Amino acid sequence: MSRVSYFYHNEIGTYYYGEGHPMKPHRLSLTHNLILHYGLYKSMKVYRPHKATAAELKAFHSEDYINFLYRITPENAHQYTEQMRRFNVGEDCPVFDRLFDYCRLYTGGSIDGAVKLNNGMCDIAINWAGGLHHARKDEASGFCYVNDIVLATLELLKYHPRVLYIDIDVHHGDGVQDAFYITDRVMTVSFHKYGNHFFPGTGDLYEIGAGRGKYYSVNVPLKDGIDDLSYEHIFKPIISSVMSHYRPSAVVLQCGADSLSCDRLGQFNLTLKGHGECVSFVKGFGLPLLVVGGGGYTIKNVARCWTYETSLLLNKEISNEIPYNDYFEYFGPSFQLHPPINSHIDNLNTRQYLENLKAKSLENIRSLEGAPSVQMSEVPPDLFLPDYDDEDLDPDSHVTRDSTGQFDQISPENEFYDDDMDNDHDVDDSNSDDDDSS
């Protein structure tokens, strides 16, 4: 049975990108609360992550950029107009209260997970707050400021000669690919929507790496509406081939939930079971595994997805009936983990298109000259090896309670509305009893 470590901090759901912004860290409060009420915490070690230091962040990001994130606040933003343009901070990546602490916190969880894996303290590490795969060395991008995945991967490389990165977000994992584009120590594999100016506009089949990294970037560009069967048809053969040819010693899996059907920004037709099948398949290889979150903009379905995938990683079956919890109203009207789906997006991925895509991808993978060997020198010290105490093992200590002992729900304005202010509305409430489906 796999030993699973799970990282959560009760502050992570209190950060707020601003009114109308699709990225809502509040989804992490929903996810954690659902994990608690399903009792999943009993089967894993629950830890509070440390806040990554500026020095840790600079292991990948430029000093000027991290210093800028440290200094910028909503109150002084007008003094940093030039730097905001330089570092791509503004509309998609706004300046909000406690921005730097937010970056430190979600990144700390991913680094902690990598450290525990490196030290043999667990087999699987989960940080749903992480997975912000668009951030670049010296700029923000796509709601992402610090690339926790790159930093965690750099940590894994201290102990592991080859690390495999797999991305099932609807958006291309461009920031991670770019960071490791010219090395064979990390292989990146991204399944994503591509074309029609869909963000970030990268991830073509022919982006295969360069220099020593040639053929170590695999991109699977998909079209609108891909469903479970089509996704599985291409995911499993490609991942199996990567495993046999590259032979990684550790895996990082980005589980962006915006590839689910009815996501506010995504345009795929995956169900929770189809998305989760990818997680189960990767877990089945038995390698040290760091699992992180990512995109996901219909927050009730994000919570459903990551709770379900936590259960898969634990090999625990959970009921389709959502247990009563502090955010129970979010999951109506069905109050089911796997609600009915009524998607309006046609699957444009023809069998011929997928067969051609699979064939070309497998051809590129076979072009690898075998798994690269690495001369491992003296291992540098861990970025951070937390000294956990008993309080960190108490899952309830991660959920703020008020004076009555009840869970304190953090609900920033416009997080949950039934009118035009609804920032988490269903695609079409009129066509199904629960079009909010996963």
Side-chain angles (χ1 to χ4, degrees):
M1 183 175 179
S2 298
R3 299 167 299 155
V4 179
S5 293
Y6 167 88
F7 295 87
Y8 178 80
H9 197 292
N10 62 351
E11 289 181 16
I12 196 66
T14 68
Y15 297 97
Y16 185 46
Y17 275 63
E19 184 174 353
H21 198 288
M23 174 61 101
K24 295 188 283 188
H26 184 51
R27 63 196 181 144
L28 297 161
S29 297
L30 272 70
T31 301
H32 181 67
N33 204 263
L34 206 52
I35 286 171
L36 287 180
H37 284 84
Y38 266 115
L40 294 173
Y41 69 91
K42 298 175 184 177
S43 300
M44 57 188 178
K45 294 293 183 70
V46 180
Y47 296 110
R48 182 185 294 111
H50 84 292
K51 291 183 178 179
T53 66
E56 289 173 319
L57 303 183
K58 292 173 186 177
F60 170 62
H61 293 283
S62 69
E63 183 170 2
D64 285 352
Y65 177 54
I66 294 303
N67 290 343
F68 163 77
L69 291 177
Y70 171 75
R71 295 189 180 100
I72 192 78
T73 68
E75 290 74 27
N76 67 16
H78 64 280
Q79 302 174 20
Y80 292 91
T81 304
E82 181 180 343
Q83 292 94 324
M84 288 175 67
R85 282 196 298 267
R86 174 186 170 192
F87 298 124
N88 197 34
V89 171
E91 295 183 7
D92 282 353
C93 301
V95 177
F96 56 85
D97 189 38
R98 300 177 295 144
L99 169 60
F100 190 61
D101 275 350
Y102 170 64
C103 297
R104 295 174 61 206
L105 195 51
Y106 75 71
T107 301
S110 296
I111 292 174
D112 287 352
V115 169
K116 289 185 72 68
L117 289 169
N118 282 346
N119 286 276
M121 301 167 71
C122 66
D123 305 304
I124 299 171
I126 304 171
N127 177 33
W128 293 126
L132 278 71
H133 58 173
H134 295 305
R136 306 300 182 95
K137 180 181 179 69
D138 55 4
E139 69 175 40
S141 178
F143 316 156
C144 307
Y145 302 86
V146 168
N147 201 314
D148 63 290
I149 299 170
V150 171
L151 289 164
T153 301
L154 290 173
E155 190 68 21
L156 290 171
L157 288 172
K158 294 177 181 179
Y159 286 70
H160 297 276
R162 295 175 300 278
V163 176
L164 172 63
Y165 171 68
I166 303 171
D167 192 315
I168 59 173
D169 195 289
V170 76
H171 300 95
H172 178 228
D174 58 336
V176 183
Q177 173 182 286
D178 289 355
F180 300 111
Y181 203 63
I182 59 173
T183 180
D184 57 9
R185 296 278 315 273
V186 178
M187 189 166 191
T188 61
V189 185
S190 180
F191 300 80
H192 50 268
K193 174 176 162 55
Y194 178 77
N196 297 323
H197 308 290
F198 192 73
F199 183 86
T202 55
D204 193 1
L205 177 65
Y206 300 102
E207 295 175 29
I208 59 172
R212 292 184 62 182
K214 187 175 182 180
Y215 298 120
Y216 291 92
S217 291
V218 177
N219 285 294
V220 185
L222 302 167
K223 299 180 181 180
D224 288 352
I226 193 164
D227 56 24
D228 292 353
L229 290 177
S230 299
Y231 202 93
E232 181 178 341
H233 177 74
I234 199 165
F235 181 85
K236 290 185 175 180
I238 289 176
I239 295 302
S240 294
S241 182
V242 166
M243 289 291 186
S244 63
H245 285 83
Y246 186 60
R247 301 206 306 273
S249 54
V251 180
V252 179
L253 177 60
Q254 198 266 21
C255 299
D258 48 6
S259 48
L260 293 173
S261 179
C262 300
D263 185 79
R264 290 182 60 211
L265 298 186
Q267 298 178 22
F268 284 177
N269 282 331
L270 296 184
T271 67
L272 260 69
K273 291 184 177 179
H275 199 271
E277 181 61 25
C278 298
V279 176
S280 294
F281 187 72
V282 173
K283 174 181 178 289
F285 288 94
L287 296 170
L289 177 61
L290 174 62
V291 180
V292 293
Y297 307 101
T298 300
I299 65 173
K300 49 196 165 187
N301 290 339
V302 175
R304 284 172 164 130
C305 179
W306 292 344
T307 299
Y308 174 62
E309 289 172 356
T310 300
S311 76
L312 294 177
L313 293 166
L314 291 168
N315 289 327
K316 295 289 183 181
E317 290 190 14
I318 55 177
S319 171
N320 189 41
E321 302 303 316
I322 297 278
Y324 187 78
N325 62 86
D326 299 331
Y327 304 101
F328 190 65
E329 70 276 13
Y330 278 74
F331 302 102
S334 74
F335 302 103
Q336 293 179 347
L337 187 65
H338 304 275
I341 290 178
N342 188 1
S343 174
H344 309 290
I345 301 176
D346 293 332
N347 185 357
L348 302 182
N349 299 272
T350 65
R351 186 169 188 84
Q352 184 63 50
Y353 175 76
L354 292 176
E355 287 295 336
N356 292 339
L357 190 56
K358 181 172 69 172
K360 184 59 181 176
S361 297
L362 294 177
E363 177 185 338
N364 287 341
I365 294 167
R366 286 193 294 268
S367 297
L368 297 176
E369 298 178 355
S373 60
V374 178
Q375 183 70 37
M376 299 296 286
S377 57
E378 181 179 353
V379 178
D382 297 321
L383 281 180
F384 181 80
L385 184 57
D387 183 16
Y388 299 110
D389 56 32
D390 292 339
E391 181 185 2
D392 293 319
L393 296 173
D394 176 14
D396 290 340
S397 72
H398 301 157
V399 182
T400 305
R401 294 175 181 267
D402 61 21
S403 59
T404 66
Q406 298 300 308
F407 290 109
D408 179 17
Q409 300 184 43
I410 307 297
S411 296
E413 293 182 6
N414 84 328
E415 288 287 10
F416 187 75
Y417 288 95
D418 291 323
D419 55 22
D420 292 339
M421 292 278 291
D422 180 12
N423 205 22
D424 188 31
H425 61 276
D426 300 331
V427 174
D428 185 352
D429 289 308
S430 63
N431 290 321
S432 170
D433 203 30
D434 194 2
D435 264 42
D436 59 359
S437 48
S438 42

